[in-house]
Amino acid sequence: MIHVDPSMTDEEFLRLFEKGIHAQWGTDAIDWGLVETIPDAKKEALGHLITPVYLGEQTAMLGVSSVLPMILTGGHPEPALYLASMGLDEARHFRNLNHLYRVLGVEPLASRRLPEMWRYHARLLQKHDPVQWVFGILISDLFAKTFYGGFADRFPDSVVGRLSRRTLQDEARHQAFSDRYLNRMLPTMDPDAKHELLVLRDDLFRIMERLGERLRGSMEVLDWSPEEFLTELWDDTEKWVRRLGLVSATEV
Ligand SMILES: [Fe+2]
Ligand SMILES: [Fe+2]
């Protein structure tokens, strides 16, 4: 239920909200030049590999706008405030990738060539519970982080690297939000509900394995492999799963 004049005492979320406001930036904050240093074959491969992230940014916008009303009407205005700033971040990421495709002069993969992305999207949308949502958003943020980190390493001096590094700063804040929110909520959940989160993780990873196979050729052009990508993402996810106490270190 929404209160007209809530007391807003949860300082952790309020601080994160302030950070989210002060860290806003626009498309003009990026130097979009120097794409000519990227060979055409690599541009083409980038066009393919950015596709799941591009759709992922839109999924993130949907995720934020689905979970925000659940949290606000659940009587938690502080995390809802933060989510409003996160929605703007995800909208900016979507807008920037839209612009990047024009700057690179390449196309994303046709959606029929990446059916897994729609499966991933559909799996997340099944969820009607805010904790499931935030956990799904966390995994999606880690997925985006692994891609942007790989782009930043491979194209450090071009617009791709600059944009990736800047976007990663936003994604770090999103992870801080998930961390705080899940740490508050998990102790209130029963073991079955916690187990459901691990089922969601496993379903999403199964989808990502198939997605990796489809992207193998483009990854190879950038000296990358689905195995390398998925190992990094799995290790990162497991760190979070252990940190949140979803499984003990010995179970993993
Ligand atoms: Fe994003
Ligand atoms: Fe994000």
Side-chain angles (χ1 to χ4, degrees):
M1 110 156 232
I2 298 179
H3 296 280
V4 173
D5 184 24
S7 55
M8 304 266 234
T9 52
D10 199 327
E11 287 296 329
E12 273 198 329
F13 285 114
L14 291 175
R15 269 200 304 276
L16 208 53
F17 174 55
E18 291 298 325
K19 256 192 182 175
I21 293 172
H22 292 298
Q24 291 301 321
W25 50 282
T27 311
D28 58 355
I30 294 289
D31 170 1
W32 294 88
L34 288 184
V35 282
E36 62 282 359
T37 58
I38 306 174
D40 285 349
K42 289 195 176 186
K43 279 188 194 158
E44 194 83 18
L46 267 171
H48 295 171
L49 295 182
I50 295 170
T51 310
V53 191
Y54 193 26
L55 183 63
E57 298 295 4
Q58 295 172 73
T59 308
M61 285 172 71
L62 279 172
V64 168
S65 47
S66 299
V67 78
L68 194 157
M70 294 179 200
I71 290 180
L72 188 59
T73 56
H76 303 287
E78 299 96 328
L81 270 182
Y82 176 72
L83 279 164
S85 78
M86 183 163 155
L88 185 52
D89 292 343
E90 303 300 9
R92 175 179 46 247
H93 300 168
F94 169 42
R95 164 69 184 128
N96 286 340
L97 292 183
N98 180 275
H99 190 59
L100 183 63
Y101 273 110
R102 272 95 197 138
V103 169
L104 290 174
V106 294
E107 300 273 328
L109 275 171
S111 62
R112 67 188 148 71
R113 292 185 57 195
L114 279 185
E116 288 76 19
M117 275 320 293
W118 299 104
R119 276 182 209 130
Y120 186 99
H121 188 91
R123 180 65 178 90
L124 281 180
L125 293 181
Q126 274 173 18
K127 293 298 152 198
H128 302 293
D129 166 76
V131 177
Q132 292 268 346
W133 260 117
V134 173
F135 188 68
I137 289 172
L138 171 63
I139 294 180
S140 306
D141 276 335
L142 297 176
F143 175 79
K145 177 189 159 194
T146 312
F147 264 116
Y148 283 119
F151 297 146
D153 290 345
R154 285 166 178 80
F155 301 95
D157 304 320
S158 79
V159 60
V160 177
R162 288 192 291 274
L163 184 61
S164 298
R165 284 192 297 275
R166 194 78 200 245
T167 306
L168 281 167
Q169 293 174 13
D170 292 341
E171 297 299 349
R173 247 181 0 261
H174 302 174
Q175 288 164 47
F177 166 77
S178 301
D179 184 39
R180 283 170 177 72
Y181 184 77
L182 293 170
N183 265 314
R184 302 279 166 89
M185 299 308 288
L186 287 171
T188 68
M189 290 167 66
D190 62 41
D192 282 354
K194 286 186 190 175
H195 179 71
E196 272 301 302
L197 298 179
L198 298 177
V199 172
L200 173 62
R201 171 201 62 182
D202 293 345
D203 286 351
L204 294 178
F205 266 87
R206 261 192 295 277
I207 297 170
M208 287 190 275
E209 266 171 30
R210 290 197 294 272
L211 178 75
E213 279 314 315
R214 290 196 196 261
L215 295 173
R216 183 178 293 280
S218 303
M219 293 193 105
E220 282 170 357
V221 175
L222 302 188
D223 298 320
W224 211 350
S225 71
E227 288 75 16
E228 201 185 328
F229 177 90
L230 282 167
T231 302
E232 186 182 336
L233 179 57
W234 178 261
D235 290 349
D236 213 4
T237 307
E238 287 318 278
K239 249 186 258 156
W240 278 91
V241 160
R242 280 198 297 273
R243 192 174 150 169
L244 292 166
L246 283 170
V247 290
S248 65
T250 50
E251 279 178 82
V252 179

